[in-house]
Amino acid sequence: MKKTILTVDDSRTMRDMLAMALGDAGFTVVQAVDGEDGLAVLDLHSAEVDVIITDINMPKLDGYGVIQHMRERPEYDDLPILVLTTESDQEKKERARKLGATGFIIKPFNPTGLVDVLRKVAA
């Protein structure tokens, strides 16, 4: 069965890069332009989303807020959340993990490595 990935990033370039890399690997990609949009898109596609990839630094609602809002809802307890960001600070990684992030990937990402991680967490 084809897996669906929700990408949440305010950078159009990053969304396009993710869509291309993941689409080429056989994933269906649903996109959101910021954290608030990400939660709304997730509500619309919750039955089909298998993994979320979120940036941290975004307007309206940052990635920490996305993780926190999702983990407050029981229906998203088991949904993997990968953080994809330029932030490599250990404190920020730890904050994301404490909120419920499944993993942390630093930009720029390696498409092959990202696809490998997604296949593992979406299994």
Side-chain angles (χ1 to χ4, degrees):
M1 183 187 325
K2 199 171 193 180
K3 300 291 183 173
T4 299
I5 312 300
L6 168 59
T7 63
V8 185
D9 201 303
D10 60 317
S11 165
R12 176 179 267 298
T13 301
M14 186 55 60
R15 289 192 311 271
D16 290 348
M17 289 171 54
L18 286 165
M20 186 179 343
L22 301 177
D24 287 351
F27 293 100
T28 299
V29 179
V30 181
Q31 298 182 328
V33 300
D34 59 47
E36 285 182 1
D37 187 43
L39 294 175
V41 170
L42 180 59
D43 283 342
L44 289 173
H45 298 278
S46 61
E48 60 224 48
V49 171
D50 297 293
V51 178
I52 294 177
I53 299 175
T54 185
D55 187 15
I56 290 294
N57 299 312
M58 296 181 288
K60 297 185 183 177
L61 181 66
D62 66 15
Y64 299 121
V66 170
I67 298 166
Q68 182 176 349
H69 282 5
M70 285 184 52
R71 293 306 186 219
E72 289 172 351
R73 297 177 61 181
E75 64 266 36
Y76 299 134
D77 277 352
D78 297 327
L79 188 60
I81 306 170
L82 297 178
V83 175
L84 180 65
T85 184
T86 58
E87 300 291 341
S88 60
D89 182 277
Q90 192 58 38
E91 265 183 49
K92 292 181 180 184
K93 287 182 184 180
E94 202 50 43
R95 180 178 174 196
R97 281 193 187 100
K98 283 181 181 176
L99 287 170
T102 308
F104 209 92
I105 299 167
I106 302 298
K107 293 177 188 176
F109 66 92
N110 172 315
T112 304
L114 179 62
V115 167
D116 289 345
V117 169
L118 283 170
R119 288 195 172 122
K120 287 176 187 166
V121 298

